[in-house]
Amino acid sequence: MAGKFEKYIVREMVREELPNEGVLAYGEVEGGTSGAHALMSGWQVPGSKVHIAYSWIHEVPTPNPYVLEHTHEYDEVLIWMGSNPEDINDLGAVAELTIEDEVYEISTSASVYIPAGVRHCPLGYQRVDRPFQFIALSLHPEYKS
């Protein structure tokens, strides 16, 4: 039964090209990820104040790093979620994220708050032992760089 709040439910993730990764960044991508899919955005749900891009990383992406350096005019939260239900902190991978020229290793399920205007990425991977989820939550209705 469709109720008055049905318009706020996104029932199908839509593949989208983000300017700092994949095809738009490199022109061609060999693989390693499901690609970015919009889970929530202002263009899917009018009035939404957030944009959430979601992907699976199932092997070291090619090219690597997969996401190039960039900034945003809004805050962003990057999230890595492992797929081991016996140990939710076990990412099953090792990522490297650069923030303002400092390199950080992400080897557990983790989240990183990126304030507006802060240079971040490249984002690359040393290894991927098992698939995990990567989510970029932008505090803005659309992804912009």
Side-chain angles (χ1 to χ4, degrees):
M1 177 173 113
K4 65 182 179 180
F5 296 100
E6 181 67 29
K7 64 185 177 185
Y8 298 122
I9 301 172
V10 176
R11 296 189 182 273
E12 185 176 334
M13 289 183 279
V14 178
R15 175 102 185 212
E16 65 179 336
E17 299 294 339
L18 303 180
N20 307 307
E21 67 182 63
V23 174
L24 290 180
Y26 291 100
E28 193 169 319
V29 174
E30 291 185 26
T33 82
S34 66
H37 291 78
L39 185 58
M40 175 63 65
S41 69
W43 53 267
Q44 290 170 300
V45 177
S48 173
K49 293 179 174 33
V50 300
H51 176 274
I52 304 172
Y54 170 91
S55 61
W56 278 94
I57 310 296
H58 52 85
E59 59 187 51
V60 173
T62 305
N64 187 34
Y66 188 69
V67 183
L68 301 177
E69 179 182 282
H70 59 280
T71 62
H72 304 287
E73 62 187 37
Y74 49 81
D75 298 344
E76 183 176 48
V77 178
L78 304 179
I79 304 163
W80 292 262
M81 292 178 19
S83 60
N84 179 355
E86 301 301 318
D87 182 357
I88 62 172
N89 292 308
D90 178 10
L91 183 60
V94 177
E96 286 186 347
L97 172 67
T98 301
I99 305 172
E100 296 279 344
D101 300 321
E102 295 179 4
V103 178
Y104 295 88
E105 184 176 279
I106 307 293
S107 59
T108 63
S109 293
S111 59
V112 178
Y113 173 73
I114 309 287
V118 170
R119 267 185 311 110
H120 56 288
C121 294
L123 170 59
Y125 294 90
Q126 293 178 12
R127 69 174 213 276
V128 175
D129 300 328
R130 104 178 128 272
F132 66 91
Q133 301 161 51
F134 176 74
I135 299 169
L137 189 154
S138 303
L139 299 176
H140 193 274
E142 298 176 39
Y143 183 91
K144 294 181 176 182
S145 58

